[in-house]
Structures are given as C-alpha cells and as structure tokens.
Amino acid sequence: MNPLRHVAIIMDGNGRWGLKYKKSRKAGHKAGLKTVEKIIKESLKNKIKYLTLYAFSTENWKRPKNEVNYLFDLLENFLRNRIEDLNKQKIKLKIIGIKSFSKKLNNLLNYSEKKTSKNSTLQINLALNYGSKKELINAFKSITKARVSVNEKNFTNYLQTKNIPDPDILIRTGNTRRLSNFLLWQLAYSEIFFEKKLWPAFNEKDYNKIIKKFKKIKRNFGNI
Ligand code: FPP
C-alpha cells in the first residue's frame, strides 16, 4: 500500500455549481468553502501531512472585480473565524504564491502563518496569487544569483514548496483535464485524478474513494 503524505487539489467548478443551483457564481464559492472544511477534516482523519489547495491563480485576476473581491472577503472571513480553531487542531497554514494583496489581508495572512507555524498535524498550503511558471522563473533567478550549482536537489530549495514532499495525489474536480499552471515541477510523478463532480458537490466519500484507489496503484517512478 502506498504511503500518502501529500494531496494537492484544483478546486474547480464553483462558478458552474453556483449558477446551476443558486443562480450566482458567488454562492458557488461560498459552497466551495464548505467543501474545503470537509476535506480538511477528512485529511486529518486520514493522517495526511500536507494538503495543498489552489484557491487563486495568477490568472484569476482576469475575473470581474466583484467576484475577485468576493473571493478575498470569503478568505478573510474564513481566517478570522477559523484560525483559532485550526490552531487548536495543530494545523499549520502556509501561503504559497505572492502575497501582494491589501495591507489588511497581507497582515492577516502573515499573522495566521506565524500563529500556526509550530503546528504539525496537517500543513495546509494555500495557493494564493500562485502561478507555477512564475515560481519556476523566480527559483531560477534566485539559484543563479546564489551561485549554487543547478541540480534537482538544490533547485527544489528555491521553490515555494521547499521542504515539502511532492504531492502523491493531484485531484482536479469540475470535469476539466488540465493543470492550469499549478505545481508543474512538483507534480512530475503525482497520481492524477480528474473528478467529474463540481467542487461544491465533492464530498468525503469521493475523497476517500480516491485515497483508496491511490493506495493500490503500483508506483514505479520510472522503474519497472
Ligand atoms: C474555481 O472554480 C475556484 C476558484 C477560483 C476559487 C476557489 C475558492 C474556494 C474553493 C472557496 C474559498 C476558499 C478559501 C480557502 C477561502 P471556478 O470559479 O473557476 O468554477 P467554474 O469553472 O465553474 O467557473
């Protein structure tokens, strides 16, 4: 049985779900947050060490301003209401991506990371204003500047996922099969599960089904 340390998720389909059931994309994002809570709980139960969630990409800025603002309000309320409890559950929060938001949100993100930095049950990597190509270019720039020899092992130390094992599983909900500029380096050997359900409809049962399937896969990493 494969050990499972790290699950990464592209939480796609909020907008479509919201329009279909509530006539509003925003309602889809709100419902998507409920799924986030369910998956955090289930990850703890499964003793998963790292959960990386793609919450906002560098490309998502192209969306209408009021949807972008809604997403960040949702995030802000989530952190304000839930960070104490996440901390009690010994969950560590790390932001990957570039923290160039309002001063208020940047402060809240920094506070949440600092408060939970010593925790070690589950580490949630929240990808915010994250784009893998940008991450790779920045890593190349830094490693060159540091005059460190460029090899795989050294290079990973310049990624935002430094010291985090690569994802064992990538899940993308929403019936779309693409990577959307997410963890392009880190996903090199991950098992990928494309899920038809939209993110707000994805539940614990679906998640556990994927975990069960993953555990039975023969992972060769290039070997036979
Ligand atoms: C993709 O669905 C989803 C996002 C861009 C945002 C993800 C946000 C959440 C799950 C809720 C907030 C999370 C936190 C942690 C506060 P989409 O809008 O692209 O869906 P579509 O493909 O149906 O349009």
Side-chain angles (χ1 to χ4, degrees):
M1 285 246 266
N2 293 316
L4 176 56
R5 283 187 299 178
H6 186 171
V7 177
I9 309 184
I10 301 177
M11 311 180 285
D12 194 17
N14 288 350
R16 278 168 285 161
W17 187 93
L19 286 177
K20 186 166 177 197
Y21 296 104
K22 307 273 175 188
K23 294 193 171 62
S24 114
R25 290 183 55 85
K26 288 181 188 169
H29 293 306
K30 194 172 167 193
L33 185 54
K34 290 207 177 112
T35 306
V36 169
E37 297 264 15
K38 285 183 197 163
I39 296 308
I40 293 175
K41 237 190 205 165
E42 212 52 33
S43 300
L44 283 167
K45 272 195 200 160
N46 278 287
K47 300 204 162 29
I48 290 165
K49 281 282 166 201
Y50 301 90
L51 176 66
T52 301
L53 300 173
Y54 205 6
F56 196 86
S57 74
T58 45
E59 289 75 29
N60 286 149
W61 293 109
K62 293 178 197 156
R63 295 185 176 211
K65 204 164 176 214
N66 81 10
E67 181 167 334
V68 171
N69 288 343
Y70 184 81
L71 276 168
F72 286 116
D73 285 349
L74 210 56
L75 171 66
E76 196 178 319
N77 286 329
F78 170 72
L79 289 178
R80 284 198 197 289
N81 295 328
R82 303 285 289 113
I83 198 65
E84 296 295 334
D85 185 52
L86 295 179
N87 189 41
K88 269 194 201 133
Q89 296 182 71
K90 298 274 172 271
I91 291 174
K92 174 174 175 174
L93 182 75
K94 179 180 166 63
I95 307 301
I96 60 168
I98 300 176
K99 277 185 257 167
S100 56
F101 310 108
S102 65
K103 200 170 171 195
K104 195 168 84 170
L105 182 57
N106 282 343
N107 287 342
L108 179 61
L109 293 171
N110 289 334
Y111 167 83
S112 306
E113 283 187 295
K114 200 166 167 206
K115 186 169 182 75
T116 61
S117 65
K118 302 257 170 2
N119 292 341
S120 62
T121 52
L122 169 69
Q123 174 167 331
I124 300 174
N125 305 308
L126 198 56
L128 283 177
N129 192 20
Y130 174 85
S132 186
K133 287 188 176 179
K134 201 166 248 171
E135 179 191 29
L136 289 167
I137 286 173
N138 287 339
F140 277 123
K141 281 185 183 163
S142 307
I143 197 169
T144 313
K145 203 169 162 196
R147 294 174 181 273
V148 171
S149 72
V150 181
N151 57 43
E152 261 186 51
K153 190 168 172 285
N154 287 343
F155 187 69
T156 55
N157 287 330
Y158 291 85
L159 294 170
Q160 295 206 300
T161 51
K162 178 182 169 181
N163 296 330
I164 300 173
D166 287 342
D168 299 296
I169 297 182
L170 169 74
I171 301 170
R172 179 175 189 140
T173 58
N175 204 18
T176 305
R177 293 167 168 251
R178 61 173 104 90
L179 294 180
S180 301
N181 201 13
F182 188 47
L183 303 174
L184 299 178
W185 171 281
Q186 297 87 338
L187 292 175
Y189 272 103
S190 308
E191 305 296 333
I192 302 183
F193 294 83
F194 292 112
E195 164 70 45
K196 284 203 172 105
K197 281 191 180 178
L198 304 173
W199 177 248
F202 188 73
N203 61 33
E204 296 90 339
K205 215 170 145 193
D206 303 315
Y207 191 41
N208 282 314
K209 237 191 230 169
I210 290 174
I211 293 173
K212 208 169 156 192
K213 256 193 203 164
F214 163 81
K215 290 199 169 163
K216 289 187 185 148
I217 292 174
K218 187 166 180 275
R219 302 185 84 195
N220 292 337
F221 299 99
N223 205 333
I224 51 168

